[in-house]
């Protein structure tokens, strides 16, 4: 019998070598989970199948971890290393034999009690063959699917058809000491171990494959039978004079327009296509903080991804990254403008559901969409949507639109039995493929509708776009957020609740701001946006290569020593390496003369480069203000820096969704300046160092924030010199003056002329008490406005103020 078992194990090893290609997650579990190969090691998995053991054994051999096919000695006991919670189903039976998991667990805990100085690690291992979630009504496809507990025959088919799509995920080792301390009775410990492992694997499988799929007809029938949609159908029939069947057909047509039609096969095809596409487009995709998502999965959270929106590539990139993290692609809220042939059908099968930009009082559409969204959450699907509503044309985060967030919280009030967490996602590129289109739209061109011809044209123009960056921001637990900001919110929970609580709008607005703040807190610096920030601060958009490298190294050191937020990521490599990488993207010209190389932005790229600078300008806001103070005064006290920022930072925070100014940040910036040799400390004061390049480097940094301050100066001056000016007149005159300054001083940054930015600043002035606005929308300055104007005057060049005053 032993020889037969050894022979079958050897056969499994050969089959694994021939048929199986394994994706390991995380890529380095030994380092991430601090696994110690010297400790007694056990592996617990869902299924006790030879093919699973062979796949794990192959991985452990590569990682130099103890092999699961061998036994582990603890004291005098020799115990199998592999613990399978469930045996495969026999070919001619529906009931599998009980596994020996409890017996192995009992042996482990007894051995550990006999050797109290011994430590052991039990590592949960999720092993999946393919990502097919299965169907609520199984069909012939389940023969090739691992969604059910397979017999040895079905496992052969699974190995044959899904062996190249094997996933082995390591998880954090189970804390055995905690289990032993919690449960003194050794007989209870194996049961607790098995229970903990079962819950873990159930969550891991749901996260990797999603829930079982209903048929489209079954889904629609269940939705149409819901109380909220039935009520909306009755109101539709009554208000439009339709029969019940006609109104019901309208509701069904809306579901056809909205609902995704997820297909695992389409996702696999898409994954292969996107792998080719990324290799064609990008030099690599940098991914940071993915462990945050996995931690939420381990805790059983419902996950909602809310990324910033820079490009249509966002849809593909984030879904691709999530899939390669071993997680099921989320259902994506996509604009109905993307539902064109053939892309719409492909997106729909990859999990996209379509939403109109406005519900426009359409009660039936509103009811159908909300019920569909609620069902996604109730069934356990992860969801992705863009709270900005559309792609940013300027590179800055757009003010959030809160419709999807409001519907999310209303879905929670239906009584979802899992915590919901929102994961903000920062996405950045070294080249945004639509950026030329954005510039035309900002110049007044009409936005073109998406079409299949635009897709083919984009594919025809594929080229190297550098690197892409994706950082998962700090998650927001929605349940916890409501507990902290809305006492008694649980009282509004009702399974058929369709009423909007009075507190909803305020809570949703606060939540939206938190999301945008967490996105910007996880910004990614890269070669292009750093060089854009430097070169756009020079009037001719050019620097000698030596000075450019010096300034770039200064910025890298600044953000190593004094990050706006600890989550902000820096690119790999030194200044020379980053510059060489950026030059390969064909965005810069290198001019040569007798004194050396000069690097300049290509003329056709200069306006476009504002987009990349705007991706990260918020991380330079505070250092730039301090640098400008030092340039103007040469010597300042730390208290003066704090006073200046206390005045301006609230405006920055509103405009760029910044976190509150943290204690110690100003001191960190000054220390970073000192480390770079640009300033010297003199008691409580700091002064610009005497070295020749100190003023020049600080001046370049100070200019980063100039355009923002100039916009503020225009608005403040117009209000101060025109007491009682109406909001409409202010916006009109502000636009005229901004364009004049743009002409006089060569300003081409799109957001300098953006009325939305102006509206936000006026709102901040009112909130901070610098102005009052009457019912007739007339604006009056308070005494505080004069102080703000004085500070702006001290920070900006006299030439700017002369241009402003000449027009007042």
């Amino acid at each position: 019998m032993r020889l037969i078992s050894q022979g079958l194990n050897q056969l499994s090893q050969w089959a694994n070598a021939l048929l199986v290609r394994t994706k390991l997650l995380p890529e380095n579990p030994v380092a991430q989970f601090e696994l110690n190969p010297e400790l007694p090691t056990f592996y617990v998995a869902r299924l006790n199948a030879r093919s699973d053991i062979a796949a794990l054994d192959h991985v452990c051999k590569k990682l130099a971890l103890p092999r699961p096919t061998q036994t582990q000695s603890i004291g005098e006991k020799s115990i199998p290393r592999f613990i399978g919670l469930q045996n495969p189903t026999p070919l001619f039976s529906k009931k599998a034999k009980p596994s020996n998991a409890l017996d192995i667990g009992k042996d482990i805990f007894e051995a550990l009690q006999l050797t109290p100085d011994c430590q052991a690690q039990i590592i949960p291992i999720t092993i999946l063959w393919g990502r097919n979630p299965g169907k609520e009504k199984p069909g012939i496809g389940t023969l090739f699917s691992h969604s059910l507990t397979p017999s040895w025959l079905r496992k052969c088919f699974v190995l044959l058809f899904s062996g190249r799509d094997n996933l082995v995920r390591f998880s954090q080792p189970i804390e055995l000491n905690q289990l032993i301390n919690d449960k003194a009775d050794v007989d209870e410990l194996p049961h607790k171990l098995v229970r903990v492992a079962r819950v873990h694997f159930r969550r891991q499988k749901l996260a990797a494959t999603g829930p079982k799929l209903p048929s489209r007809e079954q889904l629609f029938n269940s939705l149409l039978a819901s109380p909220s949609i039935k009520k909306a159908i009755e109101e539709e029939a009554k208000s439009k004079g339709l029969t019940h069947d006609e109104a019901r057909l309208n509701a069904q047509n809306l579901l056809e327009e909205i609902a995704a039609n997820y297909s695992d096969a389409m996702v696999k095809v898409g994954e292969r296509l996107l792998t080719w596409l990324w290799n064609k487009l990008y030099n690599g995709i940098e991914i940071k903080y993915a462990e945050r998502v996995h931690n939420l999965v381990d805790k059983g959270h419902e996950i909602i991804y809310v990324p910033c929106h820079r490009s249509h590539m966002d849809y593909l990139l984030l879904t691709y990254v999530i899939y390669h993290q071993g997680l099921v692609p989320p259902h994506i809220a996509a604009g109905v403008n993307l539902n064109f042939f053939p892309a719409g059908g492909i997106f729909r099968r990859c999990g996209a559901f379509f939403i109109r930009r406005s519900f426009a009082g359409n009660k039936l559409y509103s009811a159908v969409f909300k019920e569909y969204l609620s069902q996604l959450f109730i069934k356990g699907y992860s969801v992705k949507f863009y709270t900005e509503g559309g792609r940013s044309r300027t590179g800055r985060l757009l003010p959030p639109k809160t419709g999807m967030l409001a519907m999310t919280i209303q879905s929670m009030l239906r009584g979802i039995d899992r915590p919901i967490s929102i994961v903000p996602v920062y996405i950045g590129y070294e080249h945004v493929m639509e950026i030329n289109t954005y510039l035309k739209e900002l110049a007044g061109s009409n936005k073109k509708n998406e079409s299949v011809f635009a897709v083919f044209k984009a594919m025809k123009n594929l080229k190297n776009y550098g690197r892409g960056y994706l950082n998962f921001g700090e998650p927001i637990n929605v349940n916890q957020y409501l507990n902290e900001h809305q006492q008694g919110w649980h009282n509004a929970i009702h399974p058929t609740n369709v009423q909007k609580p009075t507190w909803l709008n305020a809570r949703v607005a606060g939540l939206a701001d938190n999301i945008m703040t967490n996105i910007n807190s996880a910004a990614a610096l890269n070669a292009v946006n750093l060089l854009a920030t430097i070169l756009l601060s020079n009037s001719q958009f050019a620097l000698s290569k030596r000075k450019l490298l010096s300034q770039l190294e200064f910025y890298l050191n600044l953000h190593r020593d004094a990050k706006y937020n600890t989550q902000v990521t820096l690119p790999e490599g030194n200044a020379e390496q980053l510059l060489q990488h950026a030059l390969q993207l064909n965005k810069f010209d290198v001019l040569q003369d007798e004194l050396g190389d000069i690097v300049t932005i290509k003329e056709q790229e200069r306006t476009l480069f504002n987009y990349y600078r705007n991706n990260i300008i918020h991380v330079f806001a505070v250092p730039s203000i301090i640098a400008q103070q030092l340039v103007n005064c040469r010597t300042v006290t730390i208290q003066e820096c704090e006073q200046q920022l206390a005045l301006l930072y609230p405006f920055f925070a509103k405009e760029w969704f910044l976190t509150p100014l943290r204690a110690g940040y100003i001191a960190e910036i000054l220390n970073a300046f000192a480390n770079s040799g640009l300033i010297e400390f003199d008691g409580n004061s700091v002064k610009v160092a005497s070295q020749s390049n100190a003023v020049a480097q600080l001046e370049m940094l100070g200019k980063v924030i100039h355009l923002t301050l100039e916009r503020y100066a225009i608005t403040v001056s117009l209000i101060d010199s025109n007491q009682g000016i109406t909001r409409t007149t202010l916006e009109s005159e502000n636009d005229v003056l901004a364009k004049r300054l743009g002409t006089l001083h060569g300003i081409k940054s799109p957001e300098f002329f953006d009325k939305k930015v102006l509206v936000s600043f006026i709102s901040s002035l009112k909130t901070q008490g610098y102005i009052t606005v009457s019912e007739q929308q007339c604006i009056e300055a308070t005494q505080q406005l004069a102080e703000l104007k004085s500070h702006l005057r001290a920070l900006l060049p006299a030439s700017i103020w002369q241009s402003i005053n000449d027009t007042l």
Side-chain angles (χ1 to χ4, degrees):
M1 197 70 181
R2 184 177 178 183
L3 289 175
I4 294 174
S5 180
Q6 289 177 345
L8 290 173
N9 288 339
Q10 187 62 52
L11 185 62
S12 297
Q13 296 284 353
W14 289 339
N16 184 82
L18 289 171
L19 301 174
V20 177
R21 183 177 64 189
T22 296
K23 179 176 179 60
L24 173 65
L25 289 173
E27 293 183 359
N28 189 354
V30 176
Q32 182 162 327
F33 300 127
E34 299 180 349
L35 304 180
N36 185 352
E38 303 301 321
L39 290 179
T41 302
F42 300 91
Y43 305 94
V44 57
R46 185 180 71 90
L47 192 64
N48 185 26
R50 282 188 170 86
S51 56
D52 288 26
I53 298 172
L56 176 60
D57 186 68
H58 180 72
V59 168
C60 290
K61 183 179 179 181
K62 284 186 174 181
L63 296 174
L65 286 171
R67 306 282 288 276
T69 52
Q70 300 171 349
T71 58
Q72 176 69 57
S73 296
I74 301 180
E76 298 181 356
K77 284 198 172 187
S78 183
I79 307 168
R81 282 205 178 105
F82 188 83
I83 308 170
L85 301 185
Q86 189 174 357
N87 283 324
T89 306
L91 182 58
F92 299 108
S93 174
K94 293 184 179 180
K95 188 174 182 181
K97 293 180 181 179
S99 77
N100 60 353
L102 289 174
D103 295 332
I104 296 176
K106 186 175 181 181
D107 289 342
I108 293 171
F109 289 115
E110 286 179 347
L112 289 175
Q113 284 198 331
L114 292 173
T115 53
D117 294 334
C118 179
Q119 293 184 336
Q121 52 191 7
I122 298 182
I123 307 170
I125 306 292
T126 303
I127 303 173
L128 294 174
W129 302 86
R131 308 283 191 88
N132 190 335
K135 298 190 176 184
E136 291 183 358
K137 289 185 177 181
I140 188 66
T142 56
L143 183 64
F144 316 114
S145 169
H146 200 247
S147 59
L148 302 176
T149 303
S151 65
W152 66 265
L153 179 60
R154 185 184 290 126
K155 196 62 182 270
C156 289
F157 282 105
V158 168
L159 196 66
L160 188 62
F161 288 95
S162 300
R164 312 298 285 178
D165 195 16
N166 174 239
L167 175 69
V168 175
R169 178 190 291 286
F170 281 64
S171 295
Q172 185 74 40
I174 296 171
E175 294 287 345
L176 292 183
N177 291 336
Q178 183 177 343
L179 283 178
I180 293 172
N181 293 335
D182 291 346
K183 290 279 186 182
D185 187 355
V186 71
D187 293 332
E188 287 295 318
L189 292 174
H191 292 278
K192 184 171 184 180
L193 173 64
V194 169
R195 285 197 302 270
V196 169
R198 286 189 194 281
V199 170
H200 174 79
F201 292 131
R202 188 160 54 246
R203 288 174 176 173
Q204 290 290 323
K205 184 175 183 301
L206 181 65
T209 67
K212 292 183 178 180
L213 299 174
S215 69
R216 200 163 175 81
E217 181 183 0
Q218 180 185 355
L219 173 64
F220 285 7
N221 287 337
S222 66
L223 288 169
L224 292 170
S226 67
S228 60
I229 293 185
K230 287 172 73 175
K231 182 179 179 182
I233 288 172
E234 291 174 3
E235 292 178 355
E236 175 86 352
K238 185 183 295 185
S239 64
K240 295 185 178 180
L242 305 175
T243 66
H244 180 272
D245 288 344
E246 289 173 332
R248 190 178 189 277
L249 182 61
N250 286 347
Q252 185 170 328
N253 289 338
L254 290 175
L255 281 171
E256 290 283 0
E257 175 189 320
I258 294 167
N261 190 19
Y262 183 82
S263 165
D264 174 65
M266 180 61 75
V267 169
K268 285 197 285 189
V269 171
E271 185 270 336
R272 288 177 175 83
L273 178 62
L274 289 178
T275 298
W276 169 83
L277 185 65
W278 300 142
N279 291 334
K280 184 83 173 175
L281 286 178
Y282 300 110
N283 292 334
I285 306 295
E286 304 287 337
I287 304 161
K288 301 293 184 183
Y289 310 124
E291 66 276 4
R292 289 172 165 166
V293 182
H294 295 301
N295 290 339
L296 294 174
V297 167
D298 291 343
K299 295 174 184 177
H301 284 230
E302 178 77 33
I303 299 176
I304 300 172
Y305 301 94
V306 183
C308 60
H309 204 4
R310 313 273 196 225
S311 164
H312 279 320
M313 298 304 291
D314 301 343
Y315 295 108
L316 306 176
L317 179 60
L318 180 53
T319 297
Y320 180 83
V321 167
I322 290 169
Y323 186 81
H324 272 261
Q325 289 297 317
L327 302 172
V328 64
H331 277 52
I332 308 163
V336 74
N337 59 309
L338 293 178
N339 190 17
F340 59 88
F341 179 82
I346 296 172
F347 291 156
R348 202 183 291 276
R349 285 172 175 78
C350 290
F353 60 97
F354 295 99
I355 180 173
R356 297 177 182 176
R357 292 200 176 273
S358 172
F359 292 7
N362 190 330
K363 293 183 178 179
L364 182 61
Y365 182 86
S366 178
V368 167
F369 187 87
K370 288 178 181 178
E371 187 64 31
Y372 176 74
L373 185 64
S374 292
Q375 285 301 310
L376 292 180
F377 293 136
I378 290 169
K379 287 181 175 292
Y381 293 101
S382 58
V383 172
K384 177 177 75 174
F385 59 79
Y386 299 87
T387 193
E388 291 173 278
R391 292 165 292 159
S392 171
R393 267 62 176 174
T394 62
R396 300 150 50 97
L397 289 185
L398 301 175
K401 295 184 178 179
T402 56
M404 283 293 294
L405 274 177
M407 286 186 281
T408 297
I409 293 183
Q410 285 183 285
S411 296
M412 286 181 62
L413 300 180
R414 299 279 297 274
I416 297 173
D417 60 358
R418 296 178 308 285
I420 292 181
S421 282
I422 293 173
V423 179
V425 185
Y426 177 94
I427 301 176
Y429 304 93
E430 290 181 333
H431 178 86
V432 173
M433 63 192 307
E434 303 101 323
I435 194 164
N436 286 295
T437 303
Y438 293 167
L439 187 62
K440 291 176 183 177
E441 291 176 14
L442 288 167
S445 298
N446 292 327
K447 180 180 179 293
K448 293 182 179 180
N449 294 329
E450 278 72 22
S451 70
V452 67
F453 303 105
V455 173
F456 288 136
K457 183 179 179 181
M459 293 186 70
K460 180 183 176 182
N461 295 328
L462 293 182
K463 59 181 180 179
N464 186 337
Y465 289 150
R467 294 193 180 101
Y469 298 83
L470 193 149
N471 293 345
F472 291 96
E474 184 69 33
I476 301 171
N477 186 316
V478 181
N479 305 65
Q480 182 179 332
Y481 174 85
L482 291 177
N483 288 338
E484 293 174 356
H485 295 88
Q486 187 60 50
Q487 293 183 355
W489 69 272
H490 292 92
N491 297 332
I493 292 178
H494 191 277
T496 60
N497 182 40
V498 294
Q499 296 298 319
K500 185 168 77 171
T502 55
W503 48 261
L504 184 67
N505 289 345
R507 299 291 79 82
V508 167
L511 182 59
D513 282 346
N514 284 3
I515 292 169
M516 307 308 278
T517 299
N518 287 10
I519 289 174
N520 263 350
S521 294
L525 305 182
N526 63 54
V528 171
N529 58 35
L530 283 168
L531 290 172
T533 302
I534 295 170
L535 292 173
L536 289 176
S537 298
N538 291 269
S539 57
Q540 300 303 313
F541 312 108
L543 270 179
S544 70
K545 182 178 178 181
R546 180 179 60 81
K547 287 186 177 180
L548 180 60
L549 287 172
S550 176
Q551 193 73 4
L552 181 56
E553 193 65 45
F554 167 44
Y555 284 6
L556 292 172
N557 290 332
L558 171 63
H559 288 288
R560 289 189 188 103
D561 298 338
K563 284 186 178 181
Y564 152 68
N565 191 287
T566 56
Q567 301 172 77
V568 172
T569 58
L570 274 71
E572 295 182 2
N574 58 31
E576 178 72 43
Q577 291 168 330
L578 292 176
L579 178 59
Q580 290 306 314
H581 166 71
L583 292 177
Q584 294 172 4
L585 301 179
N586 198 33
K587 295 177 180 294
F588 304 89
D589 284 326
V590 180
L591 312 177
Q592 296 179 327
D593 60 19
E594 294 83 354
L595 300 178
D597 292 346
I598 296 174
V599 180
T600 181
I601 304 172
K602 285 181 177 290
E603 186 172 354
Q604 66 269 27
E605 297 278 352
R606 290 175 182 175
T607 303
L608 304 179
F609 260 55
N610 287 282
Y611 189 98
Y612 302 112
R613 178 189 59 187
N614 287 344
N615 289 173
I616 61 165
I617 191 172
H618 63 283
V619 306
F620 285 93
V622 176
S624 181
I625 289 294
I626 295 174
Q628 190 62 50
Q629 277 186 288
L630 287 164
V631 168
N632 290 347
C633 303
R634 294 296 193 270
T635 301
V636 297
T637 65
I638 296 175
Q639 185 180 16
E640 286 172 337
C641 291
E642 292 172 345
Q643 289 173 344
Q644 184 78 278
L645 285 162
L647 188 77
L648 292 172
Y649 194 81
F651 298 109
F652 299 159
K654 176 70 174 177
E655 183 169 345
W656 293 312
F657 302 100
L658 303 183
T659 58
L661 188 62
R662 60 184 173 84
Y665 183 35
I666 294 173
E668 289 174 11
I669 292 170
L670 292 172
N671 285 328
F673 288 176
N675 292 339
S676 295
L678 303 183
I679 64 170
E680 298 169 352
F681 286 97
D682 183 12
N684 194 41
S685 299
V686 291
K687 62 180 181 180
V688 178
S690 56
Q691 63 167 305
S692 59
N693 68 328
V695 173
Q697 286 196 274
L698 288 171
E699 187 174 51
M700 272 190 278
L701 177 57
K703 286 182 179 178
V704 171
I705 205 74
H706 267 200
L707 290 184
T708 299
L709 299 181
E710 288 171 24
R711 283 192 287 103
Y712 292 175
I714 292 171
T715 306
V716 167
S717 297
L718 284 170
I719 294 172
D720 187 50
S721 60
N722 295 277
Q723 291 290 333
I725 188 173
T726 65
R727 196 166 191 141
T728 302
T729 303
L730 176 61
E731 292 176 8
S732 175
E733 292 190 7
N734 197 98
D735 184 53
V736 171
L737 186 49
K739 288 177 179 176
R740 183 170 181 82
L741 258 69
T743 302
L744 291 173
H745 299 277
I747 299 170
K748 295 183 179 180
S749 182
E751 78 278 0
F752 192 75
F753 314 98
D754 192 343
K755 287 186 178 180
K756 293 179 181 177
V757 177
L758 170 62
V759 170
S760 176
F761 180 56
I762 294 172
S763 175
S764 293
L765 287 172
K766 181 181 177 183
T767 302
Q768 299 296 324
Y770 291 96
I771 61 172
T772 60
V773 183
S774 69
E775 293 181 1
Q776 292 74 32
Q777 295 298 300
C778 293
I779 299 173
E780 297 281 350
T782 67
Q783 292 182 348
Q784 291 175 265
L785 193 72
E787 181 186 0
L788 175 60
K789 185 176 180 180
S790 174
H791 279 270
L792 292 172
R793 185 179 294 278
L795 290 170
L796 290 172
S799 59
I800 295 294
W801 284 103
Q802 183 177 358
S803 297
I804 293 174
N805 292 332
D806 285 347
T807 61
L808 296 178

